[in-house]
Amino acid sequence: VGIARLFAVALSCLAFSLVASAGHFEGPYGTWCMFTWCFCFTVTLLVLLLELLELYPLLPLSWDDFTSAFSMLAALMVFTSSVVFPAIFVSSPCSSDRCARQAVATTASCLCFLAYAVEVSLTRAKPGDISSFLSTVPGLLKVFEAFVACLIFSLLDAYSGQSGLMWCVAVYALCFIFTFLIIIFTIGRCLTYIPCPLEKLLVGYNFLATLMYLTATVLWPLYSFRGRGRPNPCGTDCLWNKRLGVTFLTIFNLIAYSVDLVYSTRMVFFRAP
C-alpha cells in the first residue's frame, strides 16, 4: 500500500508539472484536471507523512475509513481527468513540444489511476470483515455514488419549468446528501449516535434510492429528448450532449445503488457464522 501511494504521489506530481510547464489548461475542464492532480498529490503526501510519523492516531476520525474513501475518490477523480484532458487539450497529430508534454502528462495520469486502483484493491475489506465500513464493497460504492452525483450536478442546465426534470434533480440532490452524510458520519465516528441499527438503515435507504433513481432513469430522457433531435453543430457545451451525459450517469448510479442494495442485504440477512 505504501509503494502504491509513493507511485501515486510521484505520478500526480509529474502530471500537473508537465501540464503547468506546457501552459495550456485554461477553461473549466483544464482547471478540473489540474485541481485533481494537485489535490491528490497533496492529500496522499499528507497521508504518507502522518503514517510515517505515526501521528494519525491523534486525529479525531477513523483513519482506515478515511484512507479507503480517499483512495476510491482519488481513483475516480484521476480516471475522469485521464479521459477529459486528452479529449479536450491533446491535438492530433501530436508533433509540437507542448503536445508531447501533454501526452506524457496523460500517460502519467493513467498510471496514477492504476496506482490508486491498486491501493483500493489492497485495502478493501475481506468478505465478512466490517470493522472498516468504507473499505467494504457497500462503503466503496457510497463514494462512487456521491462522485457520480457530483458529475451529474456539473452537467445540469435548463431544467426549471419542467416537473419531470425537477423531480430528477430532487432525486439526485436527496440521494447525494444522504450518501455524503453516511460517508462523513463514518469517517467522523458518529454512527453510534444514530438511534437505529446502521445495517438495517442502509438496506432501507438503498432500497428507496434505487426506486428513486429508477424513476429518474425513465423520466430524465423522456422529458429531455421528447421532440428534440441532436442539433448540428453540437459542441462541448451543447445542452443536448449534457443531457445525454446526465442520462448515462443516472444509469450508472442506478446500477451502483442496485449492487449496493444487494451487498447491504447480504451483510444484514446472510451473515456467515
Side-chain angles (χ1 to χ4, degrees), residues 70-81:
F70 169 72
S71 59
M72 183 64 177
L73 176 63
L76 294 170
M77 292 176 67
V78 174
F79 175 76
T80 56
S81 297

Side-chain angles (χ1 to χ4, degrees), residues 3-168:
I3 293 174
R5 288 172 180 166
L6 286 173
F7 271 106
V9 167
L11 291 168
S12 58
C13 180
L14 178 62
F16 75 72
S17 299
L18 287 173
V19 174
S21 65
H24 182 48
F25 55 91
E26 63 277 354
Y29 296 107
T31 303
W32 161 256
C33 294
M34 284 293 287
F35 168 77
T36 295
W37 295 319
C38 294
F39 172 75
C40 293
F41 167 79
T42 303
V43 178
T44 307
L45 182 61
L46 183 62
V47 168
L48 285 172
L49 291 176
L50 289 174
E51 291 194 341
L52 181 64
L53 300 175
E54 297 184 351
L55 295 176
Y56 64 90
L58 303 177
L59 300 176
L61 50 81
S62 174
W63 184 252
D64 291 337
D65 284 310
F66 170 74
T67 53
S68 297
F70 169 72
S71 59
M72 183 64 177
L73 176 63
L76 294 170
M77 292 176 67
V78 174
F79 175 76
T80 56
S81 297
S82 301
V83 174
V84 169
F85 184 78
I88 301 296
F89 295 100
V90 179
S91 59
S92 181
C94 187
S95 56
S96 63
D97 177 69
R98 184 175 70 179
C99 183
R101 295 183 187 182
Q102 292 172 334
V104 175
T106 302
T107 304
S109 182
C110 293
L111 295 176
C112 185
F113 160 71
L114 292 178
Y116 282 117
V118 169
E119 182 183 349
V120 171
S121 65
L122 291 176
T123 57
R124 187 170 67 87
K126 303 300 185 294
D129 180 15
I130 56 173
S131 58
S132 175
F133 171 69
L134 291 181
S135 64
T136 62
V137 173
L140 295 174
L141 284 172
K142 286 286 179 288
V143 180
F144 177 83
E145 292 154 5
F147 180 76
V148 172
C150 291
L151 294 181
I152 291 175
F153 294 146
S154 69
L155 295 176
L156 289 177
D157 193 8
Y159 57 84
S160 60
Q162 302 183 64
S163 57
L165 297 183
M166 293 178 69
W167 162 254
C168 295

